[in-house]
């Protein structure tokens, strides 16, 4: 097991102070901090390699292209995809889902067809489907969850009909922390001939993901949540789907030949990558993936398991607390409310203690409506957080609660 204090030295921001207090950063589900290795990959590339990729015969362009394509291969290996052609770089989870909704929708969804999601989805995995459904005359079906925050599997599978074109489901909920049984969902959906998209935004930073073992048709995630830079994300799609889907955007890179009359499109994955790609971002994402791999995804998962279990135990003991999402084995996310204290007040006062948490609906307003609340306070953990920070969070919550009594 790694030494958390040694790890923390890789993240300069973790040693800064806010309001003259040591920063306790517990907003990792929103975005993670960056290790030196990632920041250095960015500066090194701008200082010594920078040139536009794929189009140049000159030395720098070729070197930048090699880094960009090596990054694609690093992503492929990280999620165990079968081919780098199945890895499309996007701006993030949101763009990946919009791309699939748009292109898959155009190719496969018609009047009266259905897309099935679950009640715990992030807006990114709701709104693109609504927009596509409106364009194609399709319907959105929503699988319910129980009081622990687990999908009601029978209900989900019961929603699958001969009109179901796709199931889109979060691997891990960004509000409840629930780790959904995506492998089981995929195999049940496949038995009925329905493909599955997995929103892996909250899974990839925390557990080893193997898209071929899951047999996912699409798997998407964001670089910035897995210690990489903002502005880069990944869409994994099985070749058979990607080949059958039309391009998402038109422009440079995604073409083979262009005349004023017609255009032929490039091969995978470039067909879906119009314009200059974020080649600095892809290389830095690869640095982030190397970084977490060097620590070990299994060690990360084991450490975060202990941290989350300890945090659940400490927080559950607080008078008047309500924790949303109590599924066993949940991910490193704890959403809560204490007594009648508004989530914004709790978040603001914790912030004054140096503790960064997120407040609000966490881009899951329909889930908030279902829970009958406006929002929660959310603490989310990373392998660089410590048991002492969990104690500080629990003590901080108690201190704020006392102020309101
Ligand atoms: N899906 C889930 C489960 C998320 O937690 C998030 C971000 O919070 C997203 C999608 C959207 O990610 P991004 O804003 O990086 O596109």
């Amino acid at each position: 097991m790694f030494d958390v204090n040694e790890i923390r030295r890789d993240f300069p921001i973790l040693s800064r102070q806010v309001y003259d207090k040591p920063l306790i950063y517990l907003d990792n589900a929103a975005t993670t901090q960056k290790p030196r290795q990632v920041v250095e990959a960015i500066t090194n590339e701008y200082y010594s390699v920078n040139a536009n990729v794929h189009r140049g015969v000159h030395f720098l362009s070729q070197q930048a292209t090699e880094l960009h394509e090596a990054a694609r291969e690093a992503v492929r290996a990280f999620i165990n995809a079968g081919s780098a052609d199945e890895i499309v770089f996007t701006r993030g989870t949101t763009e990946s889902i919009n791309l699939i909704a748009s292109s898959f929708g155009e190719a496969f969804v018609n009047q009266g067809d259905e897309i099935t999601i679950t009640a715990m989805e992030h807006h990114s995995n709701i709104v693109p489907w609504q927009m596509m459904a409106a364009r194609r005359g399709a319907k959105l079906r929503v699988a319910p969850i129980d009081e622990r925050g687990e999908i009601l599997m029978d209900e989900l599978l019961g929603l699958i009909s001969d009109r179901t074109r796709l199931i889109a489901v979060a691997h891990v909920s960004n509000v409840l922390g629930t780790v959904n049984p995506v492998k089981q969902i995929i195999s049940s959906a496949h038995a009925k001939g329905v493909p599955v998209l997995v929103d892996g935004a909250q899974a990839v930073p925390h557990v080893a993901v193997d898209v071929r073992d899951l047999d996912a048709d699409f798997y998407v995630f964001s670089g910035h949540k897995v210690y990489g830079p903002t502005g880069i994300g990944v869409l994994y799609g099985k070749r058979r789907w990607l080949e059958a889907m039309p391009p998402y955007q038109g422009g440079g890179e995604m073409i083979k030949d262009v005349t004023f009359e017609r255009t032929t499109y490039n091969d995978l994955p470039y067909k879906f990558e119009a314009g200059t790609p974020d080649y600095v971002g892809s290389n830095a994402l690869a640095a982030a993936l190397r970084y977490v791999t060097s620590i070990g995804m299994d060690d990360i998962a084991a450490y975060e398991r202990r941290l989350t279990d300890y945090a659940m135990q400490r927080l559950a003991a607080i008078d008047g607390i309500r924790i949303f999402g109590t599924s066993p084995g949940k991910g490193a996310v704890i959403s809560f409310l204490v007594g009648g204290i508004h989530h914004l007040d709790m978040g603001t006062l914790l912030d004054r203690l140096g503790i960064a948490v997120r407040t609000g609906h966490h881009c899951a307003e329909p889930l908030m409506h279902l829970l009958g609340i406006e929002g929660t306070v959310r603490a989310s953990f990373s392998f660089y957080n410590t048991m002492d920070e969990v104690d500080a969070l629990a003590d901080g919550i108690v201190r704020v609660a006392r102020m309101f009594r």
Side-chain angles (χ1 to χ4, degrees), residues 53-291:
V53 292
H54 293 146
R55 301 170 197 177
V57 289
H58 63 80
F59 185 87
L60 287 187
S61 177
Q62 289 189 14
Q63 210 172 22
T65 303
E66 275 163 28
L67 286 177
H68 183 59
E69 292 308 325
R72 198 186 305 278
E73 169 55 26
V75 171
R76 184 212 62 75
F78 193 70
I79 59 171
N80 197 32
S83 160
D85 296 351
E86 296 173 315
I87 305 296
V88 177
F89 284 121
T90 64
R91 283 194 301 121
T93 305
T94 303
E95 190 176 54
S96 297
I97 298 175
N98 275 278
L99 188 161
I100 298 162
S102 175
S103 296
F104 182 92
E106 199 175 321
F108 296 108
V109 180
N110 293 304
Q111 183 79 27
D113 285 345
E114 295 173 357
I115 302 295
T116 299
I117 60 170
T118 82
M120 70 175 80
E121 300 309 314
H122 187 282
H123 294 165
S124 301
N125 203 21
I126 302 173
V127 184
W129 304 114
Q130 281 177 338
M131 291 165 63
M132 181 270 273
R135 284 196 302 274
R136 309 294 299 172
K139 282 199 246 62
L140 199 60
R141 307 295 300 269
V142 184
I145 58 173
D146 66 15
E147 62 292 338
R148 292 201 299 195
E150 293 179 352
I151 297 172
L152 292 167
M153 284 296 283
D154 288 346
E155 307 247 1
L156 169 64
L157 301 181
L159 284 178
I160 301 178
S161 74
D162 59 358
R163 299 316 301 260
T164 310
R165 292 292 160 262
L166 185 92
I167 296 175
V169 59
H171 196 163
V172 176
S173 160
N174 67 313
V175 177
L176 307 166
T178 316
V179 181
N180 289 317
V182 285
K183 190 168 175 177
Q184 189 192 340
I185 292 171
I186 291 166
S187 74
S188 303
H190 284 177
K192 299 185 179 191
V194 175
V196 179
L197 175 153
V198 181
D199 170 357
Q202 298 295 345
V204 167
H206 302 289
V207 290
V209 168
D210 182 329
V211 293
R212 277 190 292 174
D213 178 56
L214 292 176
D215 202 18
D217 298 276
F218 300 100
Y219 196 101
V220 299
F221 64 96
S222 298
H224 71 97
K225 292 187 200 281
V226 60
Y227 310 96
T230 53
I232 184 94
V234 171
L235 183 176
Y236 159 79
K238 280 186 185 165
R239 182 188 296 277
R240 64 176 272 239
W241 294 116
L242 295 180
E243 273 177 350
M245 284 159 51
Y248 176 51
Q249 295 178 327
E253 297 269 337
M254 52 75 73
I255 53 93
K256 257 196 184 128
D257 300 293
V258 182
T259 65
F260 284 119
E261 288 69 41
R262 62 184 286 278
T263 293
T264 50
Y265 303 128
N266 208 340
D267 298 327
L268 292 178
Y270 310 109
K271 179 172 94 173
F272 292 108
E273 293 182 349
T276 297
D278 185 0
Y279 53 87
V280 176
S282 63
N283 181 39
L285 172 59
L289 300 182
R290 275 195 299 277
Y291 181 80

Side-chain angles (χ1 to χ4, degrees), residues 371-384:
L371 296 170
I373 55 178
E374 268 177 41
T376 72
V377 185
R378 181 185 74 184
S380 51
F381 307 95
S382 156
F383 56 82
Y384 49 53

